[in-house]
Structure formats: structure tokens, C-alpha cells
């Protein structure tokens, strides 16, 4: 294959180098396009064909259903690693040895106290506030309480910001949930593992000892690992682009949380459960909802189906489906919602509309079922996704800063009015 792509515009030819990744993905490097052609840009709404960066963090092949973090397969990581090891690998490049992991965890624990004044902000939110809005605001507010986290010019300063947010974010997630439930806002227990501590912070009742349930610890660990990174998705691209202005890690993450909130992205896990509930309330007629999903005049979409990148299957969905079966069996839960989910899945997998468009269940189709079995309220599902995605966002932000990427600033093609005369208010 030649390593040059040639573009011809109005009889004039321009050459652009091809660049190849370590997994042989090829891109046309158009960095010089606008300068060479005196103003021509590319347009690609939704960035379906546009690579925004070169990255060494996550590899995925949507056709083959492959997902790897730092070269490690998602199947291996979900089975053999814990969330903190995966977080370390994502952020720093390799799985940690015992000493590195211990230091990482110790530093995170040392930074897990959130200024008590943040509770006043939590108090000011109405109980009905969506936890994602609360989380995004609190994460941004952390900047004010930790101003040194913004101007990070050395790797050491970056490291300090990273362990701070890894320590404090689970506290904020727990507070966002407990606020809704009218429970006291508490700090974690630094004698516990990272994931055990999260569960205790979320579920501890003020008048009872909290007893860890290993099934829940394992299930949450796996869910967080499966959500930990997914290369340049909507929220990650948001984190990178906000961070590219050197706005600071916490502000960038806050923007990422807002991007994740949308039902076409992380909000889908909440939407899936609400959809399954609605189908159950409506008599459990999955065929009716299949027909609605296929009807172009009906805005309804089968939530938890389809993916921008996976056009074969979502490898995370495969792992999570098995985990959902195990967790429900271990906890002895029989959930009619699961039967509806399985029915919908079978119908969709055999339906021409879905087969033709390569629409398969994605990770969110099953994650909500596990969260529900764990006793996590539906409105918290996307916040749990954010908790899992945190190391991925951090890794991507850190990579972008270390590579000294330029500020993100796309171009456009203007399609508005041409110059026109100003008219005074009485003449309009
Ligand atoms: N139900 C019914 N039809 C669908 C669905 C669905 N869930 N998803 C896609 N389609 C159809 C579209 O109507 C379109 O049909 P057409 O070609 O006849 O017009 C075709 O499939 C392609 O869909 P696009 O929207 O162009 O695909 P895109 O890659 O832009 O969108 C997305 C991907 C947003 C995930 C989409 O499949 C969707 O809305 N799914 C439901 C929401 C969801 O589950 N989101 C979670 C994504 S995973 C994550 O964020 C972790």
C-alpha cells in the first residue's frame, strides 16, 4: 500500500501522508490541508470518519468485537484484575506490581476526604435533582476547594490531581445517592478495598453495621472495569477538548459527566430499565415495542441496542450478560424484567430490521439489571457508569496533556445569511 493519499480539487493535486497505528489502522493525515488548499476543510458531522488524536490507551475493533485497555484484553481484565489495577494500567500504561498498586491505593486513600463545606452545596440541591447534575456540579466545585489541581505543569502535580479525584469522586457519588434518600453524608472507611469502600459509602445505614457481600463486590468490580474506557466516545472527547484549553482536570471531568448524562450515551442504562419497566407495566408485549422501534414515524428506539462502533457485538455486553445471570442466581433474585430483556434480545437478534442494521445489545442493556439487583436506584445508574469511566477520562486527559496536544477548535462551513443591512428596531 502506498503511504500517500492524493486529493484532487479543481484539477489541483495535493498529497497527504498516511499514518498507520500499531493495529494497522490507517488514517489520512490532513493537518496541512487547509493551509495547502487555502481554506478547504473537511466536514464530518458526528465525527464518524474523523480521528481526533493518536492514542495508546484503548484499542477497539467494532467489526471483530475486540476491546483492549493498554493491550490487555477486556475478557482477561474482567476476569483476573481488580478495578484499581485496571485504573492504574489505563492511566500509567502497564499493570502495576504489588508495590506500585499499594502506593497508588495509599495515595488515593490519603486524598479521599472531601472538604466538609461541599456538604453545604449538596444540601442546597433539591432532593429531586438528578444525581448526574449533582455530580457534575460537585466535581466542578472541587476545583474551588483544590485550586492547585488546575495548573499542572509537571507529572508530579498531575499525579496529585489524579489521586485526589480518584479518592474524592466515589464520596461524591455516594453523597449524590444518599442525598436523594435522605441519609447522612458520610466518609468512607480507609481500611477497605476501593470497591468495598464504595459499596459501604453508598449503602451503610446509620443504625446498622455494614456487612460486605462478596457477590456485590465482585459484580461492581467487573462493571466498573467494563466501563473504564472506550477510546474517543462522546464524554471522553469532551474531557479531552475541555482539557485542551488547560481548564483543569476536575472542570474537564465535570464536562465529561454532563456529556455522559445523555440518553444516547451513558444515560442509556437508566433509559433501558425505564423502557423495560414500561413494557412490563404495559402487559409485557415485547412485539409491540419491537414494532415501535422499527416504525420510522415513532421516535421510540430500543434502548440498549446499537452502537456507533460495534457493528458485530459489544464484547462488554457478552461478559456482563453472564455476570447478570450469575449475580441474580447468587442473590436468589427472580426478576420479571430480566425475562422481558431476554425476550426483547431474542426477538431483535432474529429480526431483519435489527440484523440488517447490525444492532446488537450494548453494555447498557444488561448493566442496569445488575445495578437493580444490587439495590442501586435507577437514577444512579449513569452515575455508576461515571464512576467506572473515571480512570479512562483521567488517562485520556493525561495523555492529551503529556502529548501537548493543541487546543481543540474545529472548523465549520457557514450556511447562514450573507452580509445584510442593519435595520433599526422600528423598521423590523
Ligand atoms: N432502535 C431502533 N433503531 C435503531 C436503534 C435502536 N436502538 N439504533 C439505531 N437504529 C437504526 C436507526 O434508526 C438507523 O436506521 P436507518 O438506517 O433506517 O435510518 C440505523 O439503525 C443506524 O442508526 P444511527 O442512529 O445512524 O447509528 P449511530 O451510530 O449514529 O447511533 C446509537 C448509535 C446512538 C448508540 C444508536 O444505536 C442508539 O440510539 N441506540 C439506543 C441508545 C443506546 O443504547 N445508547 C448507548 C450506547 S452505548 C454507550 O454509550 C455505553
Amino acid at each position: 500500500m502506498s503511504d500517500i493519499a492524493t486529493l484532487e480539487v479543481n484539477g489541483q493535486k495535493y498529497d497527504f501522508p498516511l499514518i498507520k497505528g500499531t493495529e494497522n489502522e490507517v488514517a489520512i493525515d490532513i493537518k496541512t490541508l487547509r493551509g495547502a488548499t487555502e481554506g478547504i476543510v473537511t466536514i464530518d458531522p458526528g465525527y464518524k470518519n474523523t480521528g481526533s488524536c493518536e492514542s495508546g490507551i484503548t484499542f477497539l475493533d467494532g467489526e471483530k468485537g475486540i476491546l483492549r485497555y493498554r493491550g490487555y484484553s477486556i475478557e482477561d481484565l474482567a476476569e483476573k484484575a481488580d478495578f484499581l489495577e485496571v485504573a492504574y494500567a489505563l492511566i500509567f500504561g502497564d499493570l502495576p506490581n504489588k508495590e506500585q498498586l499499594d502506593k497508588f491505593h495509599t495515595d488515593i486513600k490519603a486524598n479521599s476526604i472531601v472538604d466538609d463545606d461541599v456538604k453545604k452545596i449538596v444540601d442546597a440541591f433539591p432532593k429531586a435533582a438528578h444525581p448526574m447534575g449533582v455530580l457534575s456540579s460537585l466535581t466542578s466545585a472541587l476545583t474551588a476547594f483544590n485550586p492547585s489541581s488546575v495548573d499542572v505543569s509537571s507529572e508530579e502535580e498531575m499525579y496529585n490531581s489524579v489521586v485526589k479525584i480518584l479518592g474524592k469522586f466515589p464520596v461524591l457519588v455516594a453523597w449524590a445517592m444518599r442525598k436523594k434518600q435522605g441519609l447522612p453524608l458520610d466518609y468512607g472507611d480507609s481500611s477497605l478495598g476501593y470497591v468495598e469502600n464504595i459499596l459501604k459509602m453508598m449503602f451503610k445505614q446509620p443504625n446498622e453495621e455494614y456487612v460486605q457481600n462478596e457477590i456485590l463486590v465482585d459484580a461492581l468490580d467487573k462493571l466498573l472495569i467494563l466501563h473504564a474506557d472506550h477510546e474517543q466516545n462522546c464524554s471522553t472527547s469532551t474531557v479531552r477538548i475541555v482539557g485542551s484549553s488547560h481548564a483543569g482536570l476536575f472542570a474537564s471531568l465535570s464536562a465529561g459527566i454532563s456529556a455522559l448524562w445523555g440518553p444516547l450515551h451513558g444515560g442509556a442504562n437508566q433509559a433501558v430499565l425505564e423502557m423495560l419497566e414500561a413494557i412490563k407495566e404495559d402487559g409485557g408485549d415485547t412485539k409491540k415495542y419491537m414494532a415501535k422501534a422499527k416504525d420510522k414515524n415513532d421516535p421510540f428506539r430500543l434502548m440498549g441496542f446499537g452502537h456507533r462502533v460495534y457493528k458485530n457485538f459489544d464484547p462488554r455486553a457478552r461478559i456482563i450478560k453472564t455476570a447478570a445471570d450469575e449475580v441474580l442466581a447468587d442473590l436468589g433474585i427472580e426478576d420479571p424484567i430480566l425475562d422481558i430483556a431476554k425476550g426483547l434480545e431474542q426477538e431483535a437478534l432474529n429480526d431483519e430490521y435489527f440484523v440488517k442494521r447490525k444492532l446488537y445489545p450494548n453494555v447498557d442493556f444488561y448493566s442496569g439489571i445488575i445495578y437493580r439487583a444490587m439495590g442501586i436506584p435507577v437514577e444512579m445508574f449513569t452515575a455508576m457508569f461515571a464512576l467506572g469511566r473515571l480512570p479512562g477520562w483521567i488517562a485520556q486527559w493525561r495523555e492529551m496533556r503529556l502529548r501537548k496536544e493543541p487546543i481543540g477548535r474545529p472548523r465549520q462551513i457557514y450556511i447562514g445569511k450573507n452580509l445584510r443591512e442593519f435595520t433599526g428596531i422600528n423598521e423590523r
Side-chain angles (χ1 to χ4, degrees):
M1 189 169 95
S2 141
D3 51 5
I4 295 285
T6 306
L7 176 72
E8 188 172 331
V9 186
N10 294 332
Q12 174 87 34
K13 287 189 175 163
Y14 305 92
D15 285 343
F16 299 99
L18 294 182
I19 54 172
K20 211 186 219 183
T22 47
E23 291 288 345
N24 296 325
E25 295 163 305
V26 178
I28 304 169
D29 177 353
I30 57 154
K31 281 193 215 78
T32 57
L33 172 71
R34 193 167 172 277
T37 56
E38 291 176 6
I40 294 178
V41 297
T42 56
I43 196 150
D44 186 18
Y47 312 114
K48 291 192 178 192
N49 308 281
T50 299
S52 59
C53 59
E54 291 173 75
S55 176
I57 301 171
T58 288
F59 171 67
L60 71 86
D61 182 327
E63 306 303 323
K64 297 194 185 129
I66 293 174
L67 173 62
R68 293 183 203 139
Y69 301 158
R70 298 288 190 184
Y72 304 107
S73 82
I74 192 66
E75 289 80 8
D76 269 352
L77 292 173
E79 195 193 323
K80 299 171 190 161
D82 71 24
F83 178 59
L84 215 52
E85 285 177 279
V86 171
Y88 186 99
L90 278 168
I91 298 168
F92 302 111
D94 298 301
L95 282 169
N97 61 28
K98 174 95 179 64
E99 200 181 312
Q100 289 167 322
L101 186 62
D102 286 348
K103 180 182 177 336
F104 189 45
H105 196 191
T106 304
D107 292 341
I108 290 171
K109 285 194 279 198
N111 282 285
S112 60
I113 301 296
V114 175
D115 192 304
D116 223 44
D117 277 348
V118 176
K119 285 185 181 165
K120 293 181 193 153
I121 307 178
V122 179
D123 271 347
F125 278 103
K127 256 205 184 121
H130 194 285
M132 287 298 276
V134 175
L135 255 189
S136 168
S137 310
L138 296 181
T139 306
S140 184
L142 279 187
T143 308
F145 292 89
N146 302 272
S148 65
S149 68
V150 178
D151 190 12
V152 285
S153 41
S154 70
E155 278 209 50
E156 193 193 339
E157 286 168 331
M158 243 180 222
Y159 179 82
N160 292 337
S161 295
V162 168
V163 289
K164 265 189 191 144
I165 195 66
L166 283 167
K168 296 179 203 308
F169 194 69
V171 180
L172 301 184
V173 171
W175 285 3
M177 176 170 131
R178 294 177 76 92
K179 160 81 188 180
K180 276 191 98 59
Q181 298 174 330
L183 289 170
L185 308 183
D186 214 348
Y187 290 98
D189 177 343
S190 61
S191 69
L192 296 176
Y194 192 76
V195 172
E196 289 168 332
N197 187 34
I198 291 171
L199 284 168
K200 183 172 176 186
M201 280 195 291
M202 289 175 76
F203 291 117
K204 181 171 178 342
Q205 295 300 307
N207 55 352
E208 282 173 17
E209 265 306 290
Y210 181 75
V211 182
Q212 292 288 344
N213 177 335
E214 280 312 310
I215 299 167
L216 299 192
V217 176
D218 284 353
L220 184 55
D221 208 66
K222 204 168 265 179
L223 279 167
L224 297 179
I225 291 172
L226 293 178
H227 285 89
D229 196 48
H230 214 234
E231 53 118 301
Q232 308 311 317
N233 56 84
C234 177
S235 56
T236 302
S237 299
T238 303
V239 169
R240 280 184 91 123
I241 205 163
V242 174
S244 76
S245 75
H246 296 194
L249 176 60
F250 304 164
S252 309
L253 293 171
S254 163
I257 294 164
S258 297
L260 187 72
W261 190 356
L264 298 190
H265 190 14
N269 56 13
Q270 175 176 341
V272 169
L273 237 285
E274 285 167 353
M275 175 189 79
L276 295 173
E277 290 278 8
I279 298 175
K280 188 181 124 205
E281 291 302 305
D282 197 18
D285 184 358
T286 48
K287 293 206 164 47
K288 175 173 163 190
Y289 285 85
M290 284 290 291
K292 273 166 75 66
K294 294 190 282 181
D295 180 356
K296 289 287 164 207
N297 297 317
D298 189 326
F300 176 78
R301 277 189 168 196
L302 210 53
M303 298 313 288
F305 270 79
H307 197 276
R308 169 59 64 81
V309 184
Y310 293 120
K311 302 297 178 194
N312 181 340
F313 65 91
D314 180 339
R316 303 165 302 171
R318 191 172 270 178
I319 299 171
I320 226 168
K321 184 181 176 188
T322 315
D325 285 340
E326 283 167 9
V327 171
L328 294 178
D330 285 345
L331 297 176
I333 293 174
E334 279 181 29
D335 192 343
I337 288 288
L338 189 64
D339 295 333
I340 293 177
K342 283 182 173 161
L344 268 183
E345 184 195 12
Q346 276 320 307
E347 279 170 46
L349 291 178
N350 294 306
D351 188 289
E352 200 202 323
Y353 173 99
F354 284 84
V355 173
K356 206 171 125 206
R357 289 170 181 76
K358 300 186 173 173
L359 301 170
Y360 292 86
N362 58 49
V363 65
D364 288 326
F365 191 66
Y366 299 105
S367 61
I369 291 167
I370 307 189
Y371 288 139
R372 185 175 136 107
M374 295 173 79
I376 296 173
V378 175
E379 275 206 331
M380 279 298 293
F381 289 2
T382 315
M384 299 311 289
F385 188 159
L387 195 54
R389 186 53 57 88
L390 184 66
W393 287 333
I394 293 171
Q396 302 272 352
W397 168 87
R398 184 172 173 275
E399 179 183 70
M400 180 271 307
R401 288 297 300 267
L402 291 177
R403 286 175 61 89
K404 300 195 185 328
E405 285 180 12
I407 186 167
R409 203 299 187 190
R411 292 277 172 174
Q412 63 164 20
I413 293 295
Y414 176 70
I415 55 165
K417 296 262 190 286
N418 296 115
L419 180 65
R420 52 181 171 160
E421 244 172 62
F422 177 85
T423 46
I425 192 150
N426 296 329
E427 284 88 60
R428 284 174 220 161

